[in-house]
Amino acid sequence: MASTAQLFITCLAEQFFPGVLKGMVGLLERLGVQVAFPQDQTCCGQPFFNSGSWTQARELARKWLRAFGETDGAIVSPSGSCVDMVRHHYPHLFPPGTPEHALAEATAARTFEVTQFLVNELKVTDVGARFPHKVTYHASCHLLRGLGAREEPKALLRKVQGLELVPLPNEETCCGFGGVFSVIYPEVSQAMMAAKIRAIEASGAEAVVACDAGCLMNLAGGLRKLRSPVRAMHLIEVLAADRGAP
Amino acid sequence: MSRAMAPIDFRANAQRVPATMPAAVQKATTRFLGTRAALVDLLGQELWQTLRQAGHDLRLHAITHLDHYLEQAEREVVKAGGQVHWARDAAEANRIVLDIAREHGVRLAVKSKSMVTEEIGLNHALEGAGIRVLETDLGEYIVQLLGVGPAHIVVPAFHLSKEEIADLFRTKLGVEALAEAQQLTQIARLRLREEFLAADMGISGGNFLVAETGTVVLVTNEGNGRMCTTVPPLHVAVVGIDKVVPDWESLTVLLKLLARSATGQKLSCYTSFITGPARTKGDTGPGEYHLVLLDNGRSRILETPETRETLLCIRCGACLNICPVYNTVGGYAYGWPISGPTGAIFGTQILGTKVAGGLPFASTLCGACNDICPVKIPITEILLRLRRRVVEGDEQEGPMGPTMARTGAKMGALALGTPWLYRLGSRLLKVAQAPFRRDGWLAKLPPPLNRWTMVRPFPAFAADFRTWWRARSREGPRSH
Amino acid sequence: MSPAREEILGKVRTALHRSPDSPVPAVPPAARVRPRAAGPAGAETEVLLAEIERLAGKTRRLASRDDLGAALAELIAAEEVRKATVWATPDLLAWEVPATLRARGVELVSPQADKRLVAQCDLGITGVDLALPETGTLVLRSSPERPRVVSLLPRVHLAILRPAALRADLHQVFSEVKADGSFVLITGPSRTSDIELTLTIGVHGPKSLHVWVVEA
């Protein structure tokens, strides 16, 4: 089946996790998907929307829709929160009955977070990956509750050769990133991050896996500060790591 | 609470939270979440979700036809021999209760736990006029002795140790007190019994107001609610206009949701139903009954369809229990008696963005509250709307944030939204960071991102996907 | 008409784009939930008592009113009852509960007496108008024969019911009692977890709850 996927790379992944993006391209192509990259994309506008600047969010949404609206196939992204933005908030930014609203709805309907795309659209859980390590999974909030993706990431992890998936205490509790929250209320963000890291350490895992750049920036930074040997990885990196050591 | 309140500084409040608070909060919330989950499992997810949807729909129906149901409730209460008063704001409500108290020469009033009376500062108003007002819910009695507000809407004093409470009783009540829960409860029981019997007036709130018969419903565990509304000769109930429920069938749904969500009980120990004063003398209830219907900004919340579901709240506290932010800071950080997610959305609208504009941002938008709310209030949707109200303003209020923030947003959107600027910026940042970059991390950043780096390092800027993509497009994709 | 009333109703109507003659549709059908169906007749009493025991109430099943005398004697001794107050409902009078108490040396205080006297009672005895097995709930109505203070002020509350009082669901209960001026649902003895989340039974309401079923 030759399907097409338009890459929605997201501003955070582009700036800070280019390896995840490259890994995603390789993974999708291995699964027979033809990958395209609309070059005009920048940011979906979520940071502006979440911080109350809806005028700017709307502007960026328009630009995003211009970049993706005329493309074919599924739009695939490694970020649950960005996909949640497009799927659930884009339509509300434009008055119902307008062409923009219609375009937003149509485009939203074919925008997928990558684990949901793999499992629900491509019907694949075993991508032939091998990662013989103890791994624990943190359920990013927008992916979990915004998109309802509770099982897909874990279904993929369970099929990775050699991977031992250990439970994360309070797996579904927020890590404390929250976008602007991390800079508006840093002390509270810190306490939440610390609680999540304590849980990660209690799990005994060598790596914590998540599907959102925000969570990963937060956790990786926190683990780094503690000089912890635990590595924070995007699930794509695990799926793309088919040759041993992290 | 009047408009004269100082702005709530959530960050400063959070910084002042005692080190013992998070563990104490989490002990309480974990307990309630556990007992709640057990009962939801017993009922079954399907029935639970059906109840939630029903609860949402009937409450929405009630508030979107509120004028009709308020008039019906008033008619029924009057028919039953009660008196109904309407209060536009806190000051008016306090005046009404004070007038009733003065008319009857009230010197001592006993009060059952009521968030709405905390909202309007009723105790303060009565005490200012020389009337002694006693909180009778054990947790409220304790925090009242301490001179502070409640830290949780269901268990107001959860954060205090039994040693602290014993000390408090020794100092304020002048009694021998052992640091043991049963003993301390017994002390409060004996003390408050005297007060119940001596009180001239009982004050309550109302968990619900059933329009069909004008009945106020009180959901309690200790018996103080019954005491306050049975023993004194006069009962005054203060109820927000948002508490209306159309009929008894609807009430059934809400009663099935409330105690399970709040404390993990199928029903609380006492659910009392009061329609007017005691109808005959032999009935041993209060001979006189007043219902005060309070607006205090609720009608304004109704004006905005996208936020009016704020009024569906049945004050169960489940959203507090599940909120990771509440679990970190406890109730006092929110700066007014109703805390947690519901307190944030309700407070921002009741108090206005000038006072409470920081509250909608005191959330990571994780959404756990939406899933646990028994009446399916779209809390994070409302938080987002209120953030927009703070920053851009809307039909209700002008923008609150500093102009700099709006200019910053405009500039940020320009940089992020213009592809060549975005790509240029990305390249420039990679260059500019060079002196500060260590091992793929930036230990310090200038404001406002210094608030990030004070907690943990920031990842280095590393964008090279577009170059990589262009290169492979020239070479053709490698086979795998 | 009070100006506050007009202003509040006016604001509400404006906010909702309604006028005084705007229609009010029925409560939406999705907001109606099917009530719990009754379990098998014999089992419901067991369910009720088991639930009450789970809530730290104490229960007994009595085959007939003939067993009341002995049961009351035991309770009086166990709870050291010297003063009691009783509902004046037909069942309790027919069962001669006041007389039985008197015969055991218990002083009877009228519920309509001064509340301080009633508050000194060790025991308050009521009937039970309706009961809900699923939640272990007793429904007590109020009237001159059913004064509220009897189940509230004394130290111990004894509630005596017949199986006929059982109902399957709150729906049935409310349809029967909603027109009352006052009634209460009692689910277990009074309690609090306000101090360090430690459960304490017996706060402001009675410290203990006894529920007896008289089968015949």
Side-chain angles (χ1 to χ4, degrees), chain A residues 1 7 19 25 31 48 58 75 131 139 150 154 158 162 164 198 205 215 236 240:
Chain A
M1 169 204 42
L7 295 171
V25 169
L31 295 172
F48 297 90
R58 199 174 286 115
I75 300 165
F131 192 71
R150 174 169 272 113
K154 287 191 263 195
R158 284 194 195 100
E164 187 192 344
R198 275 194 301 273
C215 304
I236 295 288

Side-chain angles (χ1 to χ4, degrees), chain A residues 7 9-12 14-18 21-22 25-26 29-30 35-43 47-56 58-60 63 89 92 141-142 145 173-174 176-178 180-193 214 217-218 220-222 224-225, chain B residues 10-11 14-15 324-325 328-329 358-359 361-368 371 381 384-385 387-389 391-392 405-406 408-410 412-414 416-419 422-423 426 429 438-439 441 448-449 451-466 468-470 472 477-478 480:
Chain A
L7 295 171
I9 62 174
T10 80
C11 59
L12 283 187
E14 179 174 1
Q15 301 308 321
F16 304 113
F17 302 105
L21 299 175
K22 297 168 192 168
V25 169
E29 287 181 337
R30 271 208 311 279
V35 176
F37 173 57
Q39 315 239 12
D40 281 345
Q41 64 182 286
T42 56
C43 169
F48 297 90
F49 182 73
N50 283 1
S51 53
S53 298
W54 288 18
T55 311
Q56 283 70 39
R58 199 174 286 115
E59 275 167 35
L60 289 171
K63 290 178 174 163
H89 296 298
H92 298 312
C141 298
H142 286 89
R145 296 186 191 92
T173 302
C174 179
F177 172 67
V180 285
F181 178 83
S182 59
V183 293
I184 297 181
Y185 297 119
E187 293 83 8
V188 187
S189 176
Q190 175 169 31
M192 291 167 71
M193 178 198 79
M217 285 169 68
N218 183 29
R224 159 88 180 177
K225 182 147 190 190
Chain B
F10 188 86
R11 184 174 180 207
Q15 287 167 333
V325 172
T328 306
V329 298
L359 291 185
F361 292 89
S363 159
T364 58
L365 300 176
C366 81
D371 292 346
E381 294 296 316
L384 285 164
R385 287 254 157 209
R387 289 180 182 197
R388 190 241 193 149
R389 178 177 294 179
V391 173
E392 294 190 334
R406 282 199 299 291
K410 286 198 188 110
L414 184 66
L416 274 173
T418 315
Y422 173 80
R423 294 193 296 266
S426 179
L429 283 166
R438 196 143 306 145
D439 250 359
W441 293 97
L449 288 174
R451 287 185 176 200
W452 174 281
T453 52
M454 67 183 254
V455 175
R456 36 135 147 67
F458 198 79
F461 291 90
D464 67 358
F465 178 80
R466 291 176 197 255
W468 177 85
W469 178 267
R470 269 198 304 276
R472 90 200 275 277
R478 285 164 292 151
H480 291 265

